[in-house]
């Protein structure tokens, strides 16, 4: 039984120029202790989808789903109060921007202890001891002193360590890490990621890792979801995905990896992600797809079976060759 | 010519391509062109764009309509007003308005010496709007000159100008206006002078800050390199780019000036009787609180409606012209 | 930190000098000769005139007079009222508690109503409540307060008979010596039954009138500041911890949103003192605002000059304190 199970999650924003569907029928399953990666270009709705799971979207967002179960409980039918008992304790999130994610008015210690105070039955002293322990765990030197520091006194890497400590405070079952290293210096990125992965292994917590870094995905994730323009275009276990990508977008992503590049020029996927105004009628990737047919440009693609990575494509690739499929009329 | 292009397109932004970063493994590095901006279509004319943004705000349009209505009344006062604003109808003193049992000869009633309240209000619009506009024009003009001077000359000019402005701000607005009127003597024109001095610092500070911000931008440096003269740089290159916040401030400044002038009038330090200034009309209304409430109510209502309308319009202008200033 | 304070204090020095210069010049520009103003229309012997001019230092060169003026100010000599013949500072200090009490109550009224209204409007953004708050704020912001005062007197005092029309105290029924100068405190100290209630009743309408514009400004400012902070990442972090909405809004958002609001509240001092002139005139409130207006009609220019000097000094000092406070409540600067 999986820890998190989502079916057909959609999110649309009421914008000034009409509704905008940022997430379109996304599925996700994460088992306890599993590491699932979500990859996709900027703007493909990765963050929005996970914020929807957390219930953290602004009021202009409408969230719909057939199913959104976490740890045996239906997140869709929970009251706000019941949901708040899960969020921050069993289900936590680490954000993209560590520097702005900490409240400038309160000390680091206050913000770490706050989550414990809300969810755990600990005394003041116990909370303080646990906070020290947590800072040690995430590799912050002089934890006692750091606890009384204000966020602006910390570097980006330090802030993200604090965010991780905060997330771990109540021993969660699932961590959603939304590009936890994007905003950091390249040298710090590896440290933070290693820390996160180490802690995940040690504590056996489930992890959803949103990232741009295919290299990290290859090394760490058990399964990968590929998002494109709000849609989930492919989902496979990592080995399968790297060996035989079924969606042309995934294939293009992998082909664009520098280590796979042949010749002197880096390959790239021509074109851009469609925005609000220029959505094609058929497959959203068709304008940029090398295999696109007339059908692709006019008819929205069906989802392929699990053997084809659930690819959202008229002509899923097998060993790089598009397969014509019969589809029901 | 070169610099005019620079003004049109202060900072030409090339679409940003993601280039390899050190790790060489990131998705961005795949060379995927990441650009969420929509393709640049035909730009509507600036005026059109402004109007469509402005008219979206219903309050602003309402405010504009009311302002236009009052302005028309003021402009055509001699034709619209039923009577002269200062003629005293001795046989109809303290006549109540129509709805309180008066007659249609004096729809809004008459005051203590038998003057027609409606006519006085209509002529009062002339005075209030006149004061508001004159104060605005003079202080904007002075504000531009002083503000640009402070921004461009730095040194002693800047210190003197800005310290004097600090001082003006330190004195409570009405108190300073009272001091100035006490020195110059109470009159309509001295009211305008006093209120102008009081509100000058806002414009000077705003223009200076905006100009200083613009001065660091590349198009200004480009113009400097191209050898554009200082005056031309100040007024032709930099000034147009500071205009949006200035226009907003100017609109809101009109309503503040009207309020300030009315307060002076109320204290007997502004327009002198029998001038039908709204504030002055309230000056001796206290005596009639019991007997003739319309004398107390109507002039104040006129001030309130006018000021609210101008503020609504100003808020709309701000939202439409200067998204940076928009707060919500 | 100390550096910051010193720099800020030093910045007010030129402002003060400019202020002294302007009041000095203004009084010399005022129509009418100060000696004539003192002697009235009876005329004066030339020897006596010369003597008076000497006494007043008017025979000195102008720069000398200016230095003397500054010297006097620095020693607390703000001139002598022509009408009452008492030092201006003395008169000011007697009247100032009345103004301070009024301004304080007005500010309390504005903050107590304005902050919650702004917070609610921001939290319920786009709702009927939000629109109502913003409409009321717009009206308050645009209000000619002298008229507002008259309306309230007309309705509350004359029509409903709820509140006194004018003054600080019901002097027929109660009398006690001023101790602090604050009527609310003095009435309590006097121990007379009902005195406090009477003092409070006299404060209601003036406080509302004087507090109206600050109320509107504070409500608007709180709302926009709250809206800005509600969109911050750290508010999302707080919600991601599963904290109650009350804690997210009341602690994590409000704490940050109030930083600019405190500044705005502090900067209302000028508005309050300017408004006090009108409010005190309407309600016959015996404070410095009314005194200032009366000095003009009595042509008591030394009083006017000294009064403006003192009021401006207060505004400058309060603004200074507000700046310090801003530093104190904003950890980013405090530990910068
Ligand atoms: N509050 C909002 N209102 C309107 N649109 C929004 C809002 N938040 C996000 N979006 C839109 O939703 C889309 C998906 O955004 P999202 O942040 O999920 O992308 P992402 O995949 O996380 O990208 P990145 O890699 O840059 O983090 C974007 O086009 C964005 O403009
Ligand atoms: Mg994101």
């Amino acid at each position: 039984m999986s820890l998190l199970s989502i079916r057909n999650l959609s999110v649309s924003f009421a914008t000034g120029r009409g509704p905008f569907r940022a997430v379109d029928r996304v599925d996700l399953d994460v088992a306890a202790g599993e590491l699932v990666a979500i990859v996709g270009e900027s703007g493909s709705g990765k963050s929005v989808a996970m914020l929807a799971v957390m219930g953290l979207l602004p009021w202009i967002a409408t969230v719909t789903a057939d199913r959104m179960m976490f740890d045996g409980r239906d997140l869709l039918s929970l009251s706000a109060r019941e949901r708040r008992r899960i969020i921050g304790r069993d289900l936590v999130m680490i954000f993209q921007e560590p520097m702005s994610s900490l409240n400038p008015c309160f000390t680091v210690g206050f913000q770490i202890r706050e989550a414990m105070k809300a969810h755990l039955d600990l005394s003041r002293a116990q909370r303080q001891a646990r906070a020290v322990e947590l800072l040690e765990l995430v590799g912050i030197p002089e934890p006692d002193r750091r606890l009384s520091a204000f966020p602006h006194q910390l570097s980006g890497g330090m802030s993200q360590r604090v965010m991780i400590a905060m997330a771990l405070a109540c021993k969660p079952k699932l961590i959603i890490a939304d590009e936890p290293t994007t905003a950091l210096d390249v040298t710090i990125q590896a440290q933070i990621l290693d820390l996160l992965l180490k802690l995940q292994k040690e504590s056996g917590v489930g992890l959803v890792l949103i990232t741009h870094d295919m290299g990290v995905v290859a090394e760490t994730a058990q399964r990968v979801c590929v998002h494109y323009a709000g849609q989930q275009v492919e989902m496979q276990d990592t080995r399968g995905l790297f060996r035989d990508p079924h969606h042309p977008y995934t294939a293009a992503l992998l082909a664009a990896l520098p280590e796979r590049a042949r010749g002197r020029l880096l390959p790239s996927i021509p074109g851009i992600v469609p925005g609000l105004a220029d959505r094609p009628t058929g497959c959203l990737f068709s304008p940029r797809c090398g295999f696109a047919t007339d059908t692709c440009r006019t008819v929205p693609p069906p989802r392929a079976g699990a053997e084809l990575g659930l690819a959202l494509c008229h002509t899923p690739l097998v060993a790089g060759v598009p397969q014509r499929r019969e589809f029901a009329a | 010519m070169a610099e005019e292009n620079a003004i049109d397109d202060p900072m030409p932004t090339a679409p940003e391509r993601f280039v390899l970063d050190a790790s060489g493994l990131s998705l961005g590095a795949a060379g995927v062109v990441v650009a969420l901006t929509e393709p640049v279509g035909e730009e509507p004319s600036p005026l059109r764009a402004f109007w469509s943004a402005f008219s979206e705000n219903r309050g602003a349009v309402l405010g504009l309509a009311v302002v236009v209505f009052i302005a028309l009344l003021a402009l055509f006062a001699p034709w619209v007003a039923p009577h002269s604003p200062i003629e005293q109808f001795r046989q109809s003193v303290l006549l109540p308005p129509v709805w309180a049992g008066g007659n249609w000869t004096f729809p809004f009633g008459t005051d203590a010496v038998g003057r027609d309240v409606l006519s006085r209000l209509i002529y009062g619009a002339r005075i209030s709007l006149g004061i508001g506009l004159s104060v605005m024009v003079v202080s904007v003009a002075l504000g531009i000159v002083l503000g640009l001077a402070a921004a461009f000359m730095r040194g002693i000019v800047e210190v003197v100008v800005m310290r004097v402005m600090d001082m003006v701000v330190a004195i409570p607005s009405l108190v300073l206006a009272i001091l100035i009127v006490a020195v110059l003597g109470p009159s309509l024109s001295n009211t305008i002078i006093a209120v102008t001095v009081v509100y000058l610092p806002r414009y000077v500070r705003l223009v200076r800050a905006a100009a200083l911000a613009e001065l660091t931008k590349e198009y200004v440096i480009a113009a400097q390199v191209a050898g554009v003269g200082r005056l031309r740089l100040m007024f032709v290159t930099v000034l147009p780019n500071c205009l949006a916040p200035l226009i907003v401030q100017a609109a809101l400044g009109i309503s503040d000036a009207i309020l300030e002038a009315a307060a002076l009038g109320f204290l007997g330090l502004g327009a002198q009787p029998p001038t039908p200034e709204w504030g002055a009309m309230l000056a001796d209304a206290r005596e009639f609180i019991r007997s003739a409430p319309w004398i107390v109510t109507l002039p104040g209502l006129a001030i309130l409606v006018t000021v609210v309308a101008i503020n609504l319009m100003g808020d709309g202008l701000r939202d439409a012209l200067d998204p940076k200033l928009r707060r919500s | 930190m100390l550096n910051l304070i010193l720099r800020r204090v030093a910045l007010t020095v030129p402002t003060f000098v400019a202020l002294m210069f302007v009041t000095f010049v203004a009084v010399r520009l005022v129509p009418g000769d100060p000696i004539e103003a003192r002697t009235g229309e009876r005329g004066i012997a030339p020897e006596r005139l010369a003597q008076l001019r000497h006494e007043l230092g008017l025979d000195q060169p102008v720069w000398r007079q200016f230095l003397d003026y500054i010297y006097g100010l620095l020693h607390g000599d703000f001139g002598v009222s022509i009408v009452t013949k008492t030092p201006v500072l003395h008169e000011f200090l007697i009247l100032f508690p009345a103004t301070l009490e009024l301004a304080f109550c007005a500010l309390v009224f504005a903050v107590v109503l304005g902050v919650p209204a702004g917070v609610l409007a921001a939290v319920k953004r786009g709702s009927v409540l939000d629109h109502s708050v913003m409409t009321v704020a717009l009206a308050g912001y645009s209000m000619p307060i002298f008229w507002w005062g008259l309306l309230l007197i007309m309705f509350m005092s004359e029509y409903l008979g709820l509140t006194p029309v004018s003054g600080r105290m019901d002097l027929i029924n109660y009398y006690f010596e001023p101790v602090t100068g604050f009527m609310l405190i003095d009435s309590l100290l006097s121990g007379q039954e009902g005195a406090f209630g009477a003092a409070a009743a006299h404060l209601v309408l003036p406080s509302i009138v004087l507090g109206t514009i600050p109320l509107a400004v504070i409500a608007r400012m709180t709302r926009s500041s709250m809206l800005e902070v509600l969109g911050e990442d750290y508010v999302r972090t707080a919600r991601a911890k599963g904290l109650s909405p009350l804690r997210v809004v009341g602690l994590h958002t409000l704490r940050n949103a109030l930083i600019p609001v405190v500044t705005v509240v502090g900067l209302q001092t000028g508005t309050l003192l300017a408004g006090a002139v009108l409010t005190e005139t309407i309600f016959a409130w015996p404070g410095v605002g009314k005194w200032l207006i009366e000095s003009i009609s009595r042509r008591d220019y030394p009083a006017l000059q000294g009064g403006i000097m003192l009021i401006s000094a207060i505004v400058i000092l309060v603004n200074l304190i507000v700046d310090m406070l801003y530093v104190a409540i904003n950890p980013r600067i405090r530990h910068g």
Side-chain angles (χ1 to χ4, degrees):
Chain A
M1 213 211 92
S2 57
L3 189 60
L4 179 69
S5 167
I6 298 171
R7 290 288 170 276
N8 273 338
L9 170 68
S10 298
V11 180
S12 57
F13 289 105
T15 66
R17 284 176 295 170
F20 170 59
R21 201 164 241 227
V23 177
D24 192 6
R25 283 165 290 153
V26 165
D27 298 343
L28 182 67
D29 282 284
V30 188
E34 193 184 20
L35 199 166
V36 176
I38 302 181
V39 296
E41 280 168 81
S42 219
S44 53
K46 307 179 300 283
S47 301
V48 171
M50 290 304 110
L51 288 171
V53 174
M54 295 286 291
L56 292 177
L57 287 170
W59 58 275
I60 52 164
T62 317
V63 179
T64 55
D66 290 349
R67 188 173 135 101
M68 200 148 88
M69 299 285 285
F70 173 74
D71 199 19
R73 309 189 63 174
D74 182 8
L75 293 178
L76 290 170
S77 65
L78 285 184
S79 73
R81 177 186 289 265
E82 288 167 323
R83 193 190 189 108
R84 285 202 302 273
R85 248 182 255 143
I86 298 176
I87 301 291
R89 190 183 64 190
D90 297 333
L91 176 58
V92 298
M93 187 156 174
I94 297 168
F95 299 101
Q96 208 164 341
E97 297 284 341
M99 299 288 257
S100 58
S101 292
L102 287 167
N103 193 325
C105 276
F106 301 106
T107 62
V108 167
F110 177 89
Q111 296 184 57
I112 295 180
R113 289 190 301 264
E114 192 178 29
M116 292 186 250
K117 198 170 158 195
H119 298 291
L120 304 181
D121 220 2
L122 294 179
S123 74
R124 216 189 164 78
Q126 284 171 315
R127 286 200 294 268
Q128 175 69 16
R130 171 109 177 106
V132 173
E133 187 185 313
L134 282 166
L135 284 199
E136 265 165 7
L137 196 64
V138 297
I140 293 184
E142 297 182 82
D144 287 307
R145 209 164 61 81
R146 290 291 176 183
L147 280 178
S148 52
F150 281 91
H152 66 271
Q153 295 165 313
L154 306 179
S155 66
M158 278 296 173
S159 302
Q160 197 59 296
R161 283 173 199 268
V162 170
M163 290 298 291
I164 294 174
M166 216 149 82
L168 293 173
C170 302
K171 306 214 162 95
K173 295 181 177 153
L174 180 66
I175 300 177
I176 299 172
D178 185 1
E179 301 183 38
T181 59
T182 309
L184 304 176
D185 283 351
V186 182
T187 44
I188 313 288
Q189 286 186 354
Q191 289 178 16
I192 296 287
L193 203 68
D194 286 345
L195 171 72
L196 197 61
L197 295 172
K198 186 186 88 172
L199 292 172
Q200 191 253 340
K201 277 215 186 69
E202 284 172 7
S203 59
V205 54
L207 181 63
V208 175
L209 182 67
I210 301 178
T211 181
H212 281 169
D213 195 331
M214 278 300 211
V216 171
V217 172
E219 285 168 27
T220 60
Q222 274 123 11
R223 242 152 4 93
V224 188
C225 301
V226 183
H227 283 210
Y228 182 79
Q231 296 177 330
Q232 189 165 14
V233 293
E234 177 160 5
M235 171 152 68
Q236 271 211 71
D237 61 82
T238 310
R239 299 210 19 245
L241 185 101
F242 276 79
R243 193 171 345 110
D244 188 11
H246 296 305
H247 195 282
Y249 177 62
T250 319
L253 278 184
L254 293 174
L257 280 179
E259 51 190 15
R260 300 197 177 188
R262 288 172 216 110
R264 300 221 334 262
L265 279 176
L266 270 178
S268 69
I269 308 176
I272 57 172
V273 184
L276 178 56
D278 53 346
R279 292 222 156 196
T281 39
C283 170
L284 294 183
F285 187 58
S286 59
R288 300 168 73 188
C289 182
F291 306 104
T293 63
D294 281 344
T295 319
C296 295
R297 280 182 273 270
T298 48
V299 183
R303 193 170 285 289
E307 74 289 351
L308 287 173
L310 300 169
L312 200 62
C313 185
H314 285 292
T315 61
L317 307 178
V318 169
V321 182
Q323 307 289 304
R324 305 251 156 244
R325 293 189 309 135
E326 306 295 318
F327 56 93
Chain B
M1 196 58 224
E3 116 224 1
E4 256 140 49
N5 281 337
I7 293 171
D8 288 340
D9 190 6
M11 270 204 271
T13 42
E16 276 183 37
R17 278 199 147 249
F18 266 68
V19 193
L20 259 183
D21 68 20
S23 73
L25 277 174
S26 76
L27 195 63
V32 176
V33 179
V34 182
L36 281 169
T37 48
E38 279 159 312
V40 184
E42 276 174 59
E43 289 270 322
S45 83
L47 212 62
R48 258 264 172 67
F50 163 74
W51 177 250
S52 82
F54 183 83
S55 56
E56 233 174 64
N57 185 336
R58 270 181 299 160
V61 175
L62 181 70
L64 180 66
V66 174
V67 170
V68 168
F69 176 71
I70 296 174
L72 288 177
L73 278 186
L75 212 57
F76 298 106
W79 293 275
V80 184
H83 304 281
S84 148
I86 49 174
E87 190 182 344
Q88 306 184 353
F89 299 91
R90 287 294 181 175
Q91 66 283 24
S92 5
V93 168
L94 288 178
L95 208 65
V98 181
W99 59 87
N103 63 54
W104 278 102
T105 324
F106 304 105
F108 283 11
T110 56
D111 67 8
V113 290
R115 291 174 298 208
D116 178 40
V117 173
L118 175 61
S119 306
R120 286 178 73 72
L121 288 179
I122 293 175
Y123 275 90
R126 276 193 158 185
I127 297 174
S128 283
L129 288 187
I131 291 176
L133 284 177
S134 344
V135 168
M136 189 270 280
V137 169
V138 178
S139 47
V140 165
L142 281 177
I144 288 176
V145 172
L146 290 176
L148 285 181
F152 276 81
M153 312 207 178
R154 314 309 290 267
I156 186 76
V157 176
E158 184 182 27
V159 171
V160 169
V161 169
M162 295 324 285
R163 282 321 123 212
V164 169
M165 293 305 136
D166 282 353
M167 180 213 63
V168 172
V169 171
I171 309 180
S173 57
L174 189 59
V175 175
L176 179 61
I178 289 171
L179 176 70
I180 295 170
V181 173
V183 171
L184 302 178
S187 76
L188 208 54
S189 50
N190 289 344
T191 300
I192 294 176
I193 295 176
V195 179
T196 303
V197 172
V198 167
Y199 287 124
L200 191 54
R202 308 178 172 188
Y203 299 98
V204 176
R205 287 177 167 184
L206 190 147
V207 171
R208 172 173 166 272
L212 282 182
E214 292 298 318
L215 273 179
T216 60
K217 294 198 179 153
E218 279 157 35
Y219 76 97
V220 178
I221 297 166
Q224 269 168 332
V225 171
V228 174
R230 185 189 252 184
L231 275 182
R232 193 177 162 79
L233 197 66
M234 280 162 75
F235 289 97
V236 181
T237 311
V238 172
L239 184 59
N241 292 294
C242 310
L243 277 186
L246 192 62
I247 291 174
V248 173
Q249 182 65 73
L252 296 172
I254 295 179
S255 60
D256 288 330
I258 291 177
L259 272 182
E260 203 77 49
L264 282 176
F266 174 75
L267 291 171
L269 296 170
Q272 296 298 304
T275 318
E277 201 268 330
W278 291 338
M281 284 169 75
L282 282 167
D284 34 29
R286 265 205 83 156
E287 302 167 38
F288 305 105
I289 276 180
R290 244 178 247 266
S291 54
W294 62 93
I295 296 184
V296 184
T297 318
L298 294 174
L301 208 55
I303 302 174
L304 180 64
V305 168
T306 310
V307 173
V308 164
I310 296 176
N311 281 342
L312 271 176
M313 194 183 75
D315 284 350
L317 271 180
R318 179 186 55 202
D319 292 355
L321 277 181
D322 202 354
K324 270 174 296 177
L325 285 179
R326 195 188 315 213
R327 281 321 206 90
S328 51
Chain C
M1 177 72 190
L2 186 71
N3 228 335
L4 201 76
I5 295 178
L6 287 180
R7 202 159 350 123
R8 188 62 189 74
V9 171
L11 257 182
T12 62
V13 173
T15 313
F16 267 115
V17 174
L19 186 61
M20 293 186 225
F21 181 71
V22 165
T23 46
F24 176 79
V25 171
V27 162
R28 262 137 203 87
L29 291 177
V30 159
D33 185 85
I35 304 212
E36 263 172 42
R38 287 189 176 202
T39 53
E41 286 161 13
R42 275 173 288 127
I44 189 167
E47 313 86 69
R48 177 86 184 111
L49 180 76
Q51 189 199 346
L52 263 178
R53 287 185 71 85
H54 181 71
E55 269 172 29
L56 292 172
L58 291 178
D59 52 351
Q60 304 276 346
V62 176
W63 62 267
R64 191 61 211 270
Q65 291 182 33
F66 182 53
L67 289 184
D68 286 343
Y69 173 64
I70 292 182
Y71 182 85
L73 288 182
L74 291 180
H75 288 75
D77 175 11
F78 288 80
V80 174
S81 160
I82 293 174
V83 177
T84 60
K85 307 278 191 288
T86 49
V88 172
L89 183 63
H90 180 72
E91 279 197 11
F92 186 88
L93 289 179
I94 290 179
L95 296 171
F96 189 61
T99 302
L100 193 59
E101 186 170 39
L102 172 59
F104 179 78
C105 292
L107 199 58
V108 169
F109 165 76
V111 171
V112 166
L113 244 64
V115 169
V119 170
L120 281 180
V123 173
K124 303 262 174 230
R125 147 176 218 196
S127 68
V128 177
L129 181 85
D130 182 17
H131 288 301
S132 327
V133 167
M134 292 322 286
T135 307
V136 171
L138 176 68
Y141 189 75
S142 314
M143 188 64 81
I145 63 167
F146 46 95
W147 174 67
W148 179 223
L150 292 177
L151 272 194
L152 283 178
I153 292 177
M154 199 159 85
F155 188 71
M156 302 283 283
S157 307
E158 300 288 345
Y159 185 68
L160 295 178
L162 285 178
T163 47
V165 178
S166 65
R168 291 181 81 190
M169 196 59 205
D170 183 354
L171 294 175
I172 301 174
N173 294 322
Y174 307 100
Y175 181 76
F176 39 84
E177 284 297 318
V179 182
T180 58
F182 301 105
M183 203 53 92
L184 286 177
I185 301 176
D186 286 353
S187 62
L188 278 181
L189 290 179
S190 76
Q192 294 178 40
E193 204 170 315
F196 180 78
H202 279 83
L203 262 168
V204 174
L205 288 192
S207 302
I208 293 177
V209 168
L210 186 52
T212 295
I213 290 177
L215 167 65
V217 172
I218 290 171
R220 279 164 73 124
M221 187 70 203
T222 307
R223 176 178 178 272
S224 64
S225 178
M226 282 292 291
L227 283 179
E228 202 172 309
V229 176
L230 278 172
E232 294 282 350
D233 285 349
Y234 54 78
V235 174
R236 189 178 60 190
T237 308
R239 289 199 287 138
K241 287 185 202 170
L243 304 177
S244 71
L246 191 68
R247 196 173 164 92
V248 172
V249 172
L251 191 72
H252 284 268
T253 313
L254 194 58
R255 180 74 165 70
N256 285 281
L258 279 186
I259 292 174
V261 175
V262 167
T263 316
V264 167
V265 170
L267 297 182
Q268 293 299 307
T269 330
T271 315
L272 279 173
L273 287 174
V277 173
L278 292 167
T279 314
E280 292 178 1
T281 305
I282 300 164
F283 289 96
W285 190 267
V288 292
K290 182 159 161 285
W291 172 66
L292 222 50
I293 293 295
E294 285 167 356
S295 319
I296 294 180
S297 49
R298 293 194 295 231
R299 308 202 175 280
D300 191 348
Y301 292 115
L304 185 66
Q305 178 187 26
I308 287 176
M309 199 59 226
L310 284 163
I311 287 181
S312 311
I314 290 170
V315 174
I316 294 175
L317 287 180
V318 173
N319 286 354
L320 193 65
I321 294 169
V322 170
D323 270 12
M324 308 288 153
L325 209 63
Y326 180 77
V327 172
I329 60 173
N330 193 341
R332 257 174 294 197
I333 303 181
R334 192 169 8 141
H335 302 273

